């Protein structure tokens, strides 16, 4: 009866024990995205936000900032532009939010894949929808003097160029 190393589990009976009375006959390597710390136990899935990149792993690794994974992942995926890893701190501290990319809220954007935060739109620009990868210039005849805007105000006399922060007379 083989005794499996820590990174393996025995695949007989219920596939979880190497004890002779269960008839374990061979050791099986855990697949990528799974790990085992027990010679007599099964393979466990890596949790969301963690990955197991190689077969036979004895632990999982946390995804780098700006990346996410689902359960039993063997790679982490970059957050797309317009999204960011906004809740990683909450999840890492034991909160209920999963490790996942979230769309930037209106008034904010992320222009690069792998962002860990969304930036405010600068004065003269706005982001009206969720998930914007870039802010938009205020149209001629409108303005926005504050950062983080979701829309632009209309000038009383159409005297403002694109991206204006104030109305001109």
């Amino acid at each position: 009866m083989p005794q499996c190393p820590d990174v393996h589990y025995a695949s007989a009976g219920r596939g979880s024990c190497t004890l002779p009375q269960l008839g374990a006959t061979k050791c099986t390597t855990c697949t990528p995205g799974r790990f085992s710390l027990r010679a007599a136990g099964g393979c466990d899935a890596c949790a969301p936000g963690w990955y197991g990149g190689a077969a036979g792993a004895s632990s999982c690794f946390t995804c780098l900032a700006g990346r996410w994974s689902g359960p039993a992942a063997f790679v982490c995926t970059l957050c797309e532009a317009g999204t960011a890893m906004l809740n990683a701190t909450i999840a890492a501290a034991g909160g209920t939010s999963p490790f996942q990319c979230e769309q930037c809220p209106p008034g904010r954007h992320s222009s690069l894949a792998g962002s860990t935060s969304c930036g405010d739109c600068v004065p003269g620009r706005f982001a009206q929808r969720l998930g914007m990868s870039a802010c938009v210039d205020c149209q001629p005849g409108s303005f926005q003097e504050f950062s983080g805007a979701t829309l632009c105000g209309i000038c009383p006399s159409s005297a403002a160029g694109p991206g204006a922060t104030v109305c001109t007379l």
Side-chain angles (χ1 to χ4, degrees), residues 52-89:
S58 60
S59 65
C60 297
F61 303 97
T62 187
C63 293
L64 297 174
R67 296 175 184 259
W68 67 277
S69 73
F74 58 93
V75 296
C76 296
T77 304
L78 276 175
C79 293
E80 296 177 3
T83 68
M85 184 65 67
L86 301 177
N87 61 1
T89 304

Side-chain angles (χ1 to χ4, degrees), residues 121-122 124-129 132 134-139 149 152 163:
C121 294
V122 297
R125 299 178 64 100
F126 71 102
Q128 194 170 14
R129 300 184 325 265
M132 297 289 291
C135 298
V136 179
D137 280 341
C138 292
Q139 295 296 313
C152 297

Side-chain angles (χ1 to χ4, degrees), residues 33-35 43-48 50 60 71-73:
R34 298 184 170 279
F35 72 102
C43 294
D44 296 313
C46 296
W50 296 76
C60 297

Side-chain angles (χ1 to χ4, degrees), residues 86-118:
L86 301 177
N87 61 1
T89 304
I90 295 168
T96 57
S97 297
F99 278 89
Q100 63 185 16
C101 303
E102 294 182 27
Q103 291 184 324
C104 294
R108 300 176 64 87
H109 75 287
S110 70
S111 57
L112 301 174
S115 293
T116 57
S117 64
C118 297

Side-chain angles (χ1 to χ4, degrees), residues 21-37:
Q21 66 267 26
L22 291 181
T25 58
K26 69 176 187 170
C27 296
T28 304
T29 302
C30 295
T31 58
R34 298 184 170 279
F35 72 102
S36 179
L37 296 175

